[in-house]
Amino acid sequence: MTAPAGPAPGSAAEERHHAAEPPAPVIELQGAAVGYDGRTVLSGLDLRLAERRIGVIGQNGSGKSTLARLLNGLVVPDQGRVLVDGRDTRTEGRKVRSEVGFVFQNPDNQIVFPIVAEDMAFGLKNLGLPKKEIPGRVAEALESFGIAHLAERHSHLLSGGEKQLVALASVMVMRPRTVVFDEPTTLLDLKNRNRIREAVDAMAPAAVVVTHDLELVSGYDRVLVVHEGGIAFDGAPGEAVAWYREHCS
Amino acid sequence: MLAILFAATALLQDVHTAVAMLLRLAALIMLALAVTLTTRPADLLEFFERLTAPLARVGVANPERISLGVSLVLRFVPEVFRRFQEIREAQAARGLKANPVALLVPLIVRTLKAADDVADAIDARCYPPPRRPSGGARTEENPT
């Protein structure tokens, strides 16, 4: 079931549409199917994602996280293909990942280096940025998330909210055009959930947010409901959430 | 751990050998502690990169990979310890006394799962870096 997708007049989403932001890359799924251990997780998905804020909701085990991983090539489809601005994630995964960042559910598993500033620099080194430019970019990213004071801290000693902000900053420092979030607020308290929500709302790149937090997607341009390995509903946030509550509670 | 090693050496060999082994290990641990407490991880990694740079020139090793490996070891030590404590507390809460097998199996499983997730996170951030101009060509999809 689908409904026309698009920002409501006067909404925060519409304001973003009018702002001078770089266009989001177009992500196309063409008959994409994924299975694990003989079980079909996602079957024959055909989607075109070009909006700036897209929410993905659905029950546990419905295939949301696998869908998120398809979008930047962390998982490649068993059948069909996924294209990001025409680049196939199967053959150009590295290039796709430089355009599409990924924020994991558990920041403990995303932060690679023991010191925050080093972790931030990791992605930039991988992009081949000259060494002398890296400290400036790291400082700028930390400053923009209000966590400059954490630069020299050990990542394992940070609070859950600080870790998730560091994880987000370490992706944003690479200046991706789209960021995919896999349940970014699941492990957070209310205050930190709001901090992440504000950070996602304020950031310039497009975002695809997989979440169980139905409030998080309320101002988005489009929301997909994933159910039993397919897209059961695709439309405006209010209608999508209503469909989800009716059919999946 | 040191006590177990001491007891095993004392039983299998003699007390003098066990004491010597204990002192050697203690000296090594103190030295390692002195280095890690006084050196920033970034400096340590840069040192390893410089140390292994000659091996890269003869094609034996990749300094960036060695550096990443050392960094991951440093990163995982406190996390493995934290997981150990979590599992121990969960088992104690259900009345299980300290049992090495019951502790080690879930610890290994959870650590391997976390390692898998960290590998995904490393991939997601475009690892490995492109080779420096002097290092020759490296294609985008086969950078090593």
Side-chain angles (χ1 to χ4, degrees), chain B residues 40-103:
Chain B
R40 282 164 38 93
D43 297 335
L44 204 60
L45 297 181
E46 203 170 322
F47 168 75
F48 275 108
E49 277 194 34
R50 281 188 191 172
L51 192 71
T52 51
L55 298 175
R57 279 195 280 277
V58 292
V60 175
N62 180 338
E64 284 146 3
R65 283 191 178 185
I66 292 171
S67 164
L68 180 64
V70 172
S71 164
L72 287 173
V73 169
L74 292 175
R75 175 205 181 283
F76 264 101
V77 167
E79 213 169 297
V80 170
F81 185 66
R82 182 175 58 79
R83 285 205 179 95
F84 174 85
Q85 284 179 316
E86 281 173 4
I87 294 166
R88 182 67 209 109
E89 281 171 13
Q91 291 180 343
R94 284 182 284 163
L96 189 71
K97 290 179 183 169
N99 177 336
V101 176
L103 271 170

Side-chain angles (χ1 to χ4, degrees), chain A residues 126-238:
Chain A
N126 293 339
L127 292 180
L129 209 71
K131 253 186 176 177
K132 60 182 179 184
E133 285 182 31
I134 291 176
R137 281 274 288 271
V138 168
E140 186 187 309
L142 287 169
E143 192 67 47
S144 71
F145 283 92
I147 51 172
H149 60 289
L150 302 180
E152 295 302 321
R153 294 268 298 274
H154 281 268
S155 50
H156 72 275
L157 296 177
L158 304 178
S159 71
E162 288 172 334
K163 281 181 189 171
Q164 194 58 287
L165 281 172
V166 168
L168 176 55
S170 69
V171 171
M172 291 298 292
V173 76
M174 296 171 73
R175 297 185 180 162
R177 289 170 60 208
T178 288
V179 181
V180 179
F181 295 83
D182 187 7
E183 301 186 30
T185 58
T186 298
L187 303 175
L188 303 180
D189 61 19
L190 186 61
K191 181 185 168 192
N192 285 308
R193 193 194 74 161
N194 288 339
R195 284 178 81 182
I196 293 296
R197 182 184 183 155
E198 284 163 15
V200 174
D201 281 346
M203 69 183 207
V208 178
V209 182
V210 172
T211 185
H212 288 295
D213 181 354
L214 302 180
E215 274 179 46
L216 193 65
V217 300
S218 58
Y220 284 11
D221 302 322
R222 179 180 178 188
V223 173
L224 311 174
V225 183
V226 182
H227 187 59
E228 294 176 354
I231 304 298
F233 191 94
D234 179 357

Side-chain angles (χ1 to χ4, degrees), chain A residues 94 125-128, chain B residues 56 61-66 126-144:
Chain A
R94 187 178 156 80
K125 285 180 189 166
N126 293 339
L127 292 180
Chain B
N62 180 338
E64 284 146 3
R65 283 191 178 185
I66 292 171
C126 301
Y127 185 82
R131 189 167 283 175
R132 294 184 189 97
S134 58
R138 186 187 252 174
T139 63
E140 186 189 271
E141 287 310 306
N142 187 19
T144 51

